[in-house]
Amino acid sequence: MRKILLAACCCVFLSAGCASTSQETAMVGGEEMSEHAAAPQENVTASKTETHKGKEVLVAQAKHPMNEAQIKADLDATAHTLLQRAARTITPSKANKAVSKVGNEYVARYVFIDPTKYSTEMRPATKKGTYNGFIRYSEQVFQCKGNSKSAALSAPCNPVSSKRMNEMVHFDGAKWNY
């Protein structure tokens, strides 16, 4: 009897114009009644409490999902952050070169990543609202030669090789995970 009365009260409340979207949910007395049972719960947030006939009613409103342009902008920001971190933590770096003896001379090497030169691409994943993102950049290897270890460390360096990198990240509907 209580559930029937509860359902009738919710239907009257929702049809009275208090609900603004088709995915809103009303909660009365701790039980939840949904206008559309198939509406995903992850897109619903509780936003305001109203009183209806002496009882408090919690009205939940649908979250506004991000559009593709916002997701792409978030991917670009994530790529920039990821490359800045990689450039800062990669070893051997310009500040901490790896020195080895090759024949009669010393060779100092380091890897350099330019955090401003990258490209991004995103593709829809299998689950709706999720995406796979690709961050493409290159790692350059620099080499400095000298007659001694200190001469190799202070000598001007030249690029000797480059490696193209492709990082795959995943958007789960809220943020990019890598």
Side-chain angles (χ1 to χ4, degrees), residues 54 91 94 150 164 177:
T91 57
K94 190 172 185 174
S150 61
R164 292 184 200 147
N177 299 303

Side-chain angles (χ1 to χ4, degrees), residues 81-99:
T81 302
L82 179 71
L83 289 178
Q84 281 182 329
R85 184 178 302 149
R88 204 174 48 242
T89 60
I90 196 162
T91 57
S93 65
K94 190 172 185 174
N96 190 16
K97 299 174 186 168
V99 181

Side-chain angles (χ1 to χ4, degrees), residues 2-178:
R2 180 174 176 228
K3 287 187 179 182
I4 294 172
L5 181 61
L6 179 64
C9 181
C10 288
C11 289
V12 168
F13 177 73
L14 290 174
S15 65
C18 294
S20 62
T21 65
S22 62
Q23 291 184 348
E24 289 190 353
T25 306
M27 186 177 280
V28 178
E31 293 186 27
E32 189 174 326
M33 295 299 297
S34 176
E35 186 176 338
H36 295 285
Q41 290 299 320
E42 60 198 34
N43 288 337
V44 178
T45 58
S47 63
K48 59 183 177 178
T49 305
E50 296 180 0
T51 56
H52 183 67
K53 295 186 180 178
K55 293 189 177 186
E56 286 195 9
V57 178
L58 181 63
V59 178
Q61 296 177 338
K63 287 183 186 175
H64 297 289
M66 295 173 68
N67 62 26
E68 282 193 27
Q70 291 171 327
I71 296 170
K72 175 71 170 146
D74 195 27
L75 173 61
D76 289 337
T78 301
H80 188 70
T81 302
L82 179 71
L83 289 178
Q84 281 182 329
R85 184 178 302 149
R88 204 174 48 242
T89 60
I90 196 162
T91 57
S93 65
K94 190 172 185 174
N96 190 16
K97 299 174 186 168
V99 181
S100 61
K101 187 172 183 177
V102 178
N104 291 337
E105 60 185 1
Y106 288 87
V107 178
R109 296 175 196 246
Y110 70 92
V111 179
F112 175 73
I113 297 173
D114 188 357
T116 61
K117 294 184 180 180
Y118 63 90
S119 65
T120 58
E121 176 187 356
M122 69 179 207
R123 298 179 193 156
T126 55
K127 186 178 174 187
K128 186 176 180 179
T130 62
Y131 293 90
N132 291 324
F134 302 93
I135 303 169
R136 294 181 178 92
Y137 62 97
S138 65
E139 288 182 353
Q140 289 184 318
V141 177
F142 284 81
Q143 180 174 306
C144 321
K145 294 182 180 181
N147 292 333
S148 67
K149 188 174 181 178
S150 61
L153 289 171
S154 62
C157 299
N158 299 318
V160 291
S161 66
S162 178
K163 183 173 29 172
R164 292 184 200 147
M165 303 297 290
N166 188 14
E167 300 284 339
M168 185 173 165
V169 294
H170 180 72
F171 184 75
D172 62 3
K175 65 179 181 171
W176 286 99
N177 299 303
Y178 51 90

